[in-house]
Amino acid sequence: MTILGAIADGPFALRYILITHKHKDHCDATADIARAFPDAKIVMHRSDSAAIGALASRALPIVDGDELAFGEGAAIRMLHTPGHTDGSSCFLFRSTVFTGDTLFAGSVGGAFGERSNYRDILDSVRFKLFSLDAATVVAPGHGPPSTIGEERAHNPFF
């Protein structure tokens, strides 16, 4: 069963389509998901939103620190983490941060921004992600999960 099938067949209502950055492997399914769930809000930093074409006009214009209501008394917080791309973003929900290609277990993403650079990705991790609680689970776009504490202590880029 696909993720779309599981959502459609289960007791779920897709509220948000969270996109961490503009690279195809992270946003190419946006049109299919938006078509299957037309009430879901697309969430993507405006610096990268051109990658989803006409759907960019439907994307919520969120900025660093904005929160999206999710469940009873809970929220998803957007952290703008430029460096991998200009609009790279991470999404913090409770004790898990979804980092896209900003931070991996034991690594960081490459720098492919037009206005941001490698120093920006390191600063994004150092000042935004590493300020999170050490027990926060890191769920990267590729590879195994980690924790903020593990990455602070052992990531060779810092």
Side-chain angles (χ1 to χ4, degrees):
M1 174 175 281
T2 67
I3 291 174
L4 289 178
I7 295 169
D9 294 342
F12 312 107
L14 187 67
R15 293 188 58 192
Y16 302 109
I17 302 167
L18 304 176
I19 304 172
T20 58
H21 65 284
K22 69 181 181 179
H23 291 154
K24 291 181 185 218
D25 60 328
H26 291 264
C27 71
D28 265 7
T30 305
D32 293 337
I33 297 168
R35 192 170 21 264
F37 301 97
D39 293 333
K41 303 219 182 319
I42 299 167
V43 180
M44 182 178 197
H45 193 278
R46 75 188 82 191
S47 292
D48 282 0
S49 64
I52 60 171
L55 288 173
S57 65
R58 284 185 43 197
L60 292 176
I62 64 169
V63 296
D64 186 53
D66 280 356
E67 294 191 346
L68 305 163
F70 192 74
E72 301 238 355
I76 300 166
R77 183 167 38 126
M78 188 274 236
L79 304 170
H80 182 213
T81 53
H84 182 62
T85 66
D86 297 330
S88 283
S89 302
C90 297
F91 296 97
L92 178 66
F93 180 67
R94 294 187 175 150
S95 61
T96 301
V97 63
F98 298 87
T99 59
D101 289 355
T102 297
L103 178 64
F104 302 113
S107 191
V108 296
F112 302 102
E114 284 132 30
R115 294 178 309 280
S116 56
N117 57 43
Y118 190 68
R119 172 173 222 101
D120 293 319
I121 198 169
L122 295 177
D123 286 349
S124 289
V125 172
R126 187 176 290 117
F127 299 118
K128 288 197 180 165
L129 299 181
F130 283 0
S131 70
L132 299 173
D133 186 88
T136 302
V137 173
V138 174
H142 307 277
S146 185
T147 65
I148 291 297
E150 180 70 20
E151 296 312 307
R152 266 193 230 132
H154 302 291
N155 191 303
F157 290 84
F158 301 96

